Amino acid sequence: QKSTVVITGASSGVGLYAAKALAQRGNWHVVMACRNLEKAQNAAQEVGMPEDSYTIMHIDLGSLESVRQFVAKFRESGKSLDALVCNAAIYMPLLKEPLRSPEGYELSVATNHLGHFLLSHLMLEDLKHSSAESPRLVILGTVTHNPDELGGKIPPRPDLGQLKGFEAGFKEPHSMIDGKKFEPVKAYKDSKVCNVLTMRELHRRYHESTGIVFSSLYPGCVADTPLFRNHYPLFQKIFPLFQKHITGGYVSQELSGERVAAVVADPEYSQSGVYWSWGNRQKKDGKSFVQKVSPQARDDQKGERMWELSAKLVGVA
Ligand code: NDP
């Protein structure tokens, strides 16, 4: 009997290669939770995933209704859930005005954080019923969430402030969590701070009572995933070269996928409440370690407030 893992955003980049790596292990069935079924199907074939190793199911993380429908469909399928990987994200650095989710929330925070917050909340029930020794819930982080690290120093820096935008309901005219003026790069980074805070709150609230392992990771700078497709073309060309030759942070999509798969499946990664990293400069056979998260992402009070407000915004409070 194979274990089942759900991976969001498995149609490209880190998620696709994580799906491939887990499928190749032979003892995992991968549910690729994607918004574009045809694209996901083509991607799975292109990277050579065996046909019986995966199922593609529809989810649009930007829509809370769609997240609920996904969970209902997943349960209908009768599969057990042994691991959930919250990976999907959008990054729209050139936007002048915010885009909005069907519920009216700023779209990058809605997709990267609120959709995954609701999904994690709902699928906690499924993970509780897993017969795996340590069911896992893994949320992708990034170095740019952390101004204490070199890769996180480039402005604008993430800052949830006093969560005034969330408090005010996060709809028009509000588009930033801190209630300030719209800044698309900061919106992405803020959403990733929420991802890490969510992981830590899940750990604090549920690890002891459920045995579920909650963790995050920074897979390295995967500079040539399509995440940067909404950036200037010149940036897309130069960024991978810069990461390869100047910073040494470059990680291939293949390797990033293997790192996610390890955090999902390997016994070395059964610690809960932690954030894994392989460092910013990639060394051959570099080892992973537990990395300290940013001051905001380790602020328990902020985490609790973020949790309460997010629960309200997604309708589970
Ligand atoms: P990609 O853009 O390659 O992949 C993002 C995935 O998310 C795609 O499958 C995309 O679907 C999916 N997605 C986007 N919006 C939605 C939505 N509304 N509903 C469902 N799926 C959606 O990015 P990466 O692989 O680079 O990023 C994956 C994760 O890794 C992110 O969480 C990112 O923050 C993190 N990360 C990436 C780093 C990097 O250097 N690339 C570094 C550190 C962390 P579609 O194919 O349809 O567009």
Side-chain angles (χ1 to χ4, degrees):
Q1 176 83 32
K2 287 184 177 181
S3 302
T4 302
V5 56
V6 168
I7 305 178
T8 66
S11 55
S12 109
V14 179
L16 172 61
Y17 283 86
K20 180 189 176 188
L22 283 162
Q24 273 177 343
R25 287 173 178 236
N27 54 348
W28 284 90
H29 185 80
V30 183
V31 174
M32 302 169 71
C34 299
R35 61 176 166 179
N36 183 335
L37 303 182
E38 203 186 322
K39 182 176 174 186
Q41 181 58 49
N42 291 337
Q45 277 171 357
E46 253 165 55
V47 299
M49 289 171 65
E51 229 162 77
D52 61 351
S53 68
Y54 64 93
T55 306
I56 300 173
M57 287 178 69
H58 183 263
I59 193 170
D60 177 353
L61 264 312
S63 155
L64 299 176
E65 188 46 43
S66 171
V67 171
R68 290 183 181 281
Q69 281 172 11
F70 169 82
V71 174
K73 277 256 169 64
F74 178 83
R75 287 177 183 162
E76 271 169 34
S77 78
K79 290 186 171 62
S80 71
L81 183 70
D82 305 298
L84 169 63
V85 181
C86 296
N87 163 81
I90 51 168
Y91 176 56
M92 314 278 272
L94 305 180
L95 282 184
K96 297 279 182 274
E97 296 295 329
L99 299 174
R100 295 280 166 184
S101 74
E103 285 83 12
Y105 302 139
E106 187 279 316
L107 193 61
S108 49
V109 170
T111 305
N112 307 355
H113 166 55
L114 293 173
H116 283 131
F117 184 89
L118 178 60
L119 184 68
S120 302
H121 180 91
L122 298 173
M123 296 208 108
L124 213 52
E125 286 312 311
D126 306 81
L127 285 170
K128 279 182 196 164
H129 296 125
S130 162
S131 56
E133 205 171 297
S134 72
R136 295 187 194 174
L137 196 164
V138 176
I139 307 182
L140 267 288
T142 169
V143 70
T144 56
H145 98 274
N146 191 353
D148 281 359
E149 288 191 71
L150 194 60
K153 288 202 189 303
I154 306 157
R157 294 183 178 193
D159 184 5
L160 306 186
Q162 298 305 310
L163 296 128
K164 292 284 183 221
F166 266 10
E167 270 177 10
F170 205 49
K171 295 184 184 172
E172 198 87 74
H174 299 281
S175 58
M176 298 297 286
I177 295 174
D178 62 8
K180 296 189 179 154
K181 201 174 138 279
F182 181 62
E183 218 301 17
V185 174
K186 181 173 175 295
Y188 170 81
K189 293 180 182 178
D190 287 350
S191 75
K192 300 307 288 185
V193 173
C194 288
N195 285 159
V196 180
L197 279 175
T198 299
M199 177 278 287
R200 292 186 61 255
E201 271 296 294
L202 281 165
H203 167 75
R204 206 174 62 81
R205 289 168 185 249
Y206 302 111
H207 173 65
E208 234 177 71
S209 58
T210 65
I212 299 168
V213 169
F214 303 97
S215 54
S216 275
L217 73 148
Y218 171 55
C221 184
V222 202
D224 43 24
T225 73
L227 185 68
F228 306 99
R229 62 184 157 304
N230 298 305
H231 218 305
Y232 296 113
L234 187 64
F235 176 89
Q236 295 180 40
K237 224 175 168 163
I238 291 175
F239 188 52
L241 295 172
F242 176 73
Q243 292 295 344
K244 261 182 205 160
H245 303 296
I246 313 282
T247 67
Y250 177 85
V251 167
S252 69
Q253 301 189 70
E254 196 97 36
L255 179 55
S256 73
E258 276 159 25
R259 287 176 173 178
V260 175
V263 173
V264 168
D266 289 353
E268 300 95 282
Y269 296 95
S270 59
Q271 197 178 337
S272 183
V274 299
Y275 176 93
W276 297 100
S277 173
W278 284 256
N280 289 313
R281 281 193 151 271
Q282 305 302 317
K283 296 179 204 94
K284 204 176 169 298
D285 302 323
K287 293 267 177 301
S288 58
F289 55 91
V290 172
Q291 169 88 287
K292 194 170 184 180
V293 300
S294 78
Q296 288 211 8
R298 61 176 189 263
D299 180 337
D300 290 340
Q301 259 180 336
K302 192 151 278 181
E304 220 173 315
R305 189 73 187 125
M306 187 273 328
W307 180 281
E308 284 164 8
L309 293 169
S310 301
K312 264 197 200 153
L313 294 176
V314 305
V316 297

